[in-house]
Amino acid sequence: MPESGSSAPMSTWNNIMRQLRPHQKFAAAFYLSTVIISLIYAVTCHPPVNYFSNKRNLINVYFVKLGWLWTTIIYFIYLFNVLGRKQSFERGLVRYVCMSLYWYLMTQWLLGPSFIDRVFVATGGTCRDPSAMLIQDVYQQTTCRRAGGTWSGGHDVSGHCVLLIHSSLFLWEEISWIWYSIPAVQRLKQQNGTPWLAFKLVCGLLALWWWMLVITSVYFHGHYELFTGCIFGIAGWAALYLGIFPRIPSIGLPPIQFQV
């Protein structure tokens, strides 16, 4: 007999969960729970103002706002010195380009305004000057700021949330072999030198991105904005690493059996 309407979505969800590798289940749950727990803490504990609650803190200004640049630099150091030695450099490059394209369309440009800016305008957002007067024909947040205006009235998907989760899931996938081969990590450490440094740089950036995701969830954006930020932060990884890459042998996934 055909599945009922209520059981079909559950069956699809179960199939998806069965296809996920252990490191993928962990990563998705980890970043979602980070946002949820941080938001609960913000609502119930009224966290105090501190250095990180100021948007002008140095990590936010020089790292998060340039987040994909740092992701690019550190990933290529890792790709050249670790992953590219044992696997096709071109495969890693294609995965990076696809993930970069998603980030670019979401946050920078989509035939004009970015996807996030389009969502904001479509939900009633406008650019207004200091006297709350509408600034006409401005549909991008960066243009609004340059005009001295403020972006107000629409649904502001958390761009920080999108970037931090998207970048973290990308890097986590590319070092996912550590989940299955602790001896390989130990051998890499014994080599010392540039490969070990490259691996530590990736881990360090993942730790920094996690901390700034906590700060974003505690101090900035409302729960709906964080929720949509999580959705779009995960969506690119899910579409590419769970859907597209495994079905294209010439790209494929990063190795989980890794010999150093």
Side-chain angles (χ1 to χ4, degrees), residues 128-146:
R128 296 185 177 274
D129 65 20
S131 63
M133 294 294 293
L134 177 66
I135 300 177
Q136 297 286 348
D137 301 323
V138 175
Y139 305 107
Q140 293 176 281
Q141 187 177 33
T142 53
T143 305
C144 181
R145 287 176 178 173
R146 286 197 296 267

Side-chain angles (χ1 to χ4, degrees), residues 13-243:
W13 172 255
N14 290 336
N15 289 335
I16 292 173
M17 292 303 295
R18 280 195 295 268
Q19 292 173 6
L20 291 180
R21 298 175 178 179
H23 74 274
Q24 294 169 333
K25 293 179 182 179
F26 171 82
F30 178 71
Y31 289 109
L32 280 173
S33 61
T34 291
V35 173
I36 292 170
I37 293 171
S38 300
L39 183 58
I40 292 173
Y41 168 73
V43 171
T44 59
C45 298
H46 306 291
V49 174
N50 58 37
Y51 176 74
F52 290 103
S53 65
N54 184 342
K55 290 184 178 181
R56 301 301 301 171
N57 74 75
L58 294 180
I59 294 179
N60 189 54
V61 173
Y62 292 107
F63 283 89
V64 179
K65 288 187 179 297
L66 300 173
W68 200 253
L69 173 63
W70 286 108
T71 299
T72 299
I73 292 171
I74 290 178
Y75 177 68
F76 272 91
I77 293 174
Y78 170 77
L79 183 61
F80 272 110
N81 291 283
V82 180
L83 202 58
R85 289 184 169 192
K86 300 298 180 181
Q87 300 292 320
S88 170
F89 176 87
E90 290 77 12
R91 291 187 178 193
L93 179 61
V94 171
R95 292 193 298 268
Y96 163 78
V97 169
C98 292
M99 291 293 278
S100 296
L101 179 61
Y102 179 84
W103 164 79
Y104 190 76
L105 296 175
M106 287 294 302
T107 66
Q108 304 299 311
W109 181 87
L110 179 59
L111 302 176
S114 69
F115 179 83
I116 289 177
D117 283 339
R118 289 180 181 277
V119 169
F120 187 84
V121 173
T123 53
T126 57
C127 181
R128 296 185 177 274
D129 65 20
S131 63
M133 294 294 293
L134 177 66
I135 300 177
Q136 297 286 348
D137 301 323
V138 175
Y139 305 107
Q140 293 176 281
Q141 187 177 33
T142 53
T143 305
C144 181
R145 287 176 178 173
R146 286 197 296 267
T150 56
W151 211 224
S152 62
H155 178 78
D156 187 14
V157 176
S158 174
H160 274 37
C161 197
V162 173
L163 165 71
L164 294 169
I165 292 178
H166 180 70
S167 173
S168 296
L169 289 172
F170 167 57
L171 294 175
W172 176 240
E173 283 284 0
E174 296 297 310
I175 64 167
S176 60
W177 55 271
I178 68 173
W179 186 275
Y180 308 95
S181 183
I182 297 301
V185 180
Q186 294 171 339
R187 289 193 295 270
L188 187 66
K189 183 177 181 180
Q190 290 169 357
Q191 290 184 10
N192 215 338
T194 306
W196 179 239
L197 174 61
F199 176 74
K200 290 196 294 184
L201 285 173
V202 174
C203 294
L205 190 62
L206 281 169
L208 180 62
W209 281 176
W210 175 81
W211 173 244
M212 293 311 293
L213 181 62
V214 171
I215 295 300
T216 296
S217 303
V218 170
Y219 290 105
F220 307 110
H221 290 284
H223 56 284
Y224 290 120
E225 297 164 346
L226 290 169
F227 176 70
T228 51
C230 283
I231 290 176
F232 293 120
I234 291 174
W237 162 77
L240 293 169
Y241 279 90
L242 306 183

